[in-house]
Amino acid sequence: MLPVIVVHGGAGHVPKDRADLSSVGVRDAVRAGYAILQAGGSAMDAVVETVTLLENNPVYNAGRGSDLNVKGEVEMDALVMDGRTLASGSVSAVRRVANPVQLARLVMEKTNHLCLTAEGASKFARAMGVPEVPEESLITDYARMRWKKNLQPDANPVECQIGKMGTVGAVAVDKEGNTACATSTGGLINQMEGRVGDTPSVGCGGYADNLIGAVSTTGHGEAIMKVTLSRLILFHMEQGMLQEQHKSVKAHRKQVTWPLSI
């Protein structure tokens, strides 16, 4: 099968002075992920590597560059899902980890759980030998500026979202026809401490099923969670497939039975 990878750098309005950086980052991530697929690597390897690169890029709201919560701290969420087995892993409100998407994959592969959160996720990271990084290394001047601006009494919550890069993610199909998705985020600007959005929730922040496809979402988490958007998208894709199959079968039956009904 021809391998495919699709990558996003998050929903939202991107200022002109950051648009080029955003585009370059996504293109670089696509090239890296596609190289893995071309070499025969798995869809899971490709999406995790792609999202890791986006997490390492301070332009995006994930990993380094994450938005800050109301206390000026970084809390991150990430999810991976394997369309071949429906296995998934995620972390929420995790701190001091450079690449939450890699930790989410470890949750999938090394535990019997689907999601670990906050300090529990951090303890698991240490047990897996994942290095703890200083929180300052994840905070950019841009994120700190936006955090301070949003603390002002007259801050407009809508305007504060302008110029913010959103959640990052990737979906892929490898040469074997297996699908996978990965999504990572730093959350909302000045969100409450401990707030968890759609990203680490299976069926919301992402979903993959070899029989249908793969999705990685970006946008307002609370709205996405209300409709389990990723799974809903695949549901409608599945219905479309079934309709096309139904039409095909119906056309075939018509060809076979038409002479008999004359």
Side-chain angles (χ1 to χ4, degrees):
M1 178 173 288
L2 180 69
V4 176
I5 186 164
V6 181
V7 181
H8 68 79
H13 171 75
V14 184
K16 290 183 178 179
D17 61 339
R18 297 175 68 83
D20 288 342
L21 291 173
S22 173
S23 296
V24 169
V26 169
R27 287 198 296 268
D28 288 346
V30 167
R31 292 189 186 101
Y34 194 65
I36 291 173
L37 295 175
Q38 284 185 310
S42 70
M44 179 60 66
D45 288 342
V47 296
V48 170
E49 176 61 21
T50 298
V51 172
T52 294
L53 291 176
L54 296 176
E55 289 176 336
N56 291 339
N57 190 326
V59 171
Y60 307 103
N61 175 24
R64 183 182 176 217
S66 290
D67 283 332
L68 309 183
N69 66 17
V70 70
K71 294 178 64 178
E73 299 169 337
V74 174
E75 293 180 310
M76 301 166 290
D77 307 329
L79 165 79
V80 298
M81 187 164 183
D82 186 334
R84 183 177 64 87
T85 63
L86 301 188
S88 66
S90 67
V91 292
S92 64
V94 68
R95 300 170 182 251
R96 299 182 182 85
V97 172
N99 298 113
V101 71
Q102 295 183 11
L103 185 59
R105 184 175 187 175
L106 286 172
V107 171
M108 178 182 71
E109 295 178 342
K110 302 296 184 180
T111 79
N112 295 321
H113 305 310
L114 294 186
C115 182
L116 294 177
T117 190
E119 183 56 28
S122 296
K123 288 181 178 179
F124 173 68
R126 290 192 289 271
M128 290 292 102
V130 176
E132 187 172 283
V133 300
E135 186 167 48
E136 284 298 313
S137 69
L138 303 174
I139 300 176
T140 63
D141 292 339
Y142 186 71
R144 184 176 280 109
M145 176 274 291
R146 290 168 58 76
W147 168 69
K148 289 181 179 178
K149 184 177 180 180
N150 203 32
L151 288 176
Q152 301 302 317
D154 60 345
N156 184 319
V158 175
E159 289 182 357
C160 284
Q161 298 300 318
I162 297 176
K164 164 187 175 290
M165 288 303 298
T167 297
V168 302
V171 295
V173 182
D174 59 31
K175 289 184 177 181
E176 301 299 320
N178 296 315
T179 63
C181 70
T183 311
S184 182
T185 188
L188 293 176
I189 299 172
N190 293 55
Q191 65 185 15
M192 292 177 64
E193 184 180 14
R195 178 261 181 187
V196 176
D198 64 294
T199 295
S201 301
V202 177
C204 297
Y207 202 85
D209 184 340
N210 278 9
L211 298 180
I212 313 169
V215 176
S216 170
T217 57
T218 175
H220 189 260
E222 280 69 11
I224 290 172
M225 294 168 78
K226 289 177 181 178
V227 295
T228 56
L229 185 59
S230 290
R231 190 62 187 89
L232 181 63
I233 289 170
L234 289 184
F235 169 77
H236 286 297
M237 287 176 61
E238 187 176 26
Q239 295 307 301
M241 289 179 182
L242 291 176
Q243 288 176 10
E244 290 304 315
Q245 290 171 0
H246 179 68
K247 289 179 183 177
S248 177
V249 171
K250 193 173 182 180
H252 176 68
R253 286 176 176 171
K254 186 175 182 180
Q255 292 172 6
V256 172
T257 60
W258 178 257
L260 300 178
S261 61
I262 290 177

